[in-house]
Structures are given as C-alpha cells and as structure tokens.
Amino acid sequence: MGRTIITKARFAEVQSDDATGQAPDNYASQIVKLIPIEIVGVYLGISNLIKGQDLVQWIIFLIILIITPFYLKKVANISDRIQIIIATISYIIWAISLGGPFENFLQPKLPPNFTVQTLGGILIMLYTLIVPIFYRPAKA
C-alpha cells in the first residue's frame, strides 16, 4: 500500500495501467495517509530523551519539521503536494499534543486547568473530522 491517497480518478488510471488491486481510499485510509506516523514517532522518541531541555526540543522540532516534506516525498513516495502540506501540519498538531517545548511557550497563554496536551488533543480531533471534508487529492 502506497502512501499517496488514491482517488476514484487515480484508481481508474491505475486500473487501466496495471491491475494492482488498489481501491480508492475511504475516510479511514485518508486519515492514516495524512498522518506521518513515523515522523511523529521519531519526534516522540527524541523529545522523551531530551525532556526538560526546551531549546534542544525546539531545535529538534524544527529540524524534523524541515525534514518532513522531503521525507514524505522521497521516502514515502507521496507525490501530491497538498497531501505533503497537510501531513506536515499534522506533524505540528501531534507535536503540540505531546507537549514538549510547547508547554512553556503556550501554557502561560491558556486558561487555568487547560493544558497544552488538552489543546493538542482537541486539535487532533478537529483535524481528523475536518481535513477529509476539505482535502481533495490532486488529480494524478
């Protein structure tokens, strides 16, 4: 299974080129393909190793943010530029939900008893609900 979202038009094209058996992606498949889970996993692992070191956490967040579109294009073989942008935004939302350097940066701006992780969790849920409604994969 490739990482590029398969549309009905792309499915028809693939079927005429070679019968790979891929079907157009449904909602659940699109969500999975719009979350760069391996990128989020690397960020989670590294941020847990350097917990409490805000400057280093910011540097790691930014390095991974810069690497993400290149990784998605070259390693995950995603050709749709919009999908790459949305997946990169997804990385940002997941990073916020994990806390890290965002805690000291955003926490003072949030209401009492409302954590950065709560904000991130809400953003993830809204993202999961909204993105597939508005995202239209590029015609292959």
Side-chain angles (χ1 to χ4, degrees), residues 44-93:
L44 174 61
I46 293 173
S47 69
N48 279 333
L49 291 173
I50 56 175
K51 199 172 280 255
Q53 300 178 41
D54 276 358
L55 178 59
V56 178
Q57 283 184 317
W58 276 114
I59 292 169
I60 294 300
F61 168 77
L62 292 172
I63 289 170
I64 294 174
L65 179 63
I66 292 166
I67 291 171
T68 297
F70 298 104
Y71 177 89
L72 294 172
K73 186 170 181 71
K74 299 289 185 184
V75 178
N77 295 318
I78 298 173
S79 56
D80 182 3
R81 190 171 54 177
I82 301 300
Q83 183 180 349
I84 291 171
I85 291 168
I86 291 174
T88 303
I89 292 169
S90 174
Y91 159 68
I92 296 168
I93 292 170

Side-chain angles (χ1 to χ4, degrees), residues 2-132:
R3 292 285 300 270
T4 299
I5 292 177
I6 305 296
T7 62
K8 289 180 184 177
R10 175 71 178 136
F11 174 67
E13 182 181 304
V14 169
Q15 288 301 95
S16 65
D17 290 347
D18 62 341
T20 61
Q22 286 184 314
D25 286 313
N26 61 20
Y27 172 82
S29 296
Q30 285 186 26
I31 288 296
V32 169
K33 290 180 177 184
L34 290 171
I35 299 171
I37 196 65
E38 61 273 44
I39 299 290
V40 174
V42 167
Y43 175 75
L44 174 61
I46 293 173
S47 69
N48 279 333
L49 291 173
I50 56 175
K51 199 172 280 255
Q53 300 178 41
D54 276 358
L55 178 59
V56 178
Q57 283 184 317
W58 276 114
I59 292 169
I60 294 300
F61 168 77
L62 292 172
I63 289 170
I64 294 174
L65 179 63
I66 292 166
I67 291 171
T68 297
F70 298 104
Y71 177 89
L72 294 172
K73 186 170 181 71
K74 299 289 185 184
V75 178
N77 295 318
I78 298 173
S79 56
D80 182 3
R81 190 171 54 177
I82 301 300
Q83 183 180 349
I84 291 171
I85 291 168
I86 291 174
T88 303
I89 292 169
S90 174
Y91 159 68
I92 296 168
I93 292 170
W94 277 91
I96 291 170
S97 76
L98 296 171
F102 296 95
E103 288 182 274
N104 290 335
F105 179 69
L106 293 175
Q107 194 61 57
K109 298 166 181 65
L110 296 175
N113 301 322
F114 192 85
T115 66
V116 171
Q117 288 85 359
T118 303
L119 173 64
I122 291 169
L123 290 174
I124 287 171
M125 288 182 239
L126 290 173
Y127 165 86
T128 304
L129 181 67
I130 293 171
V131 167

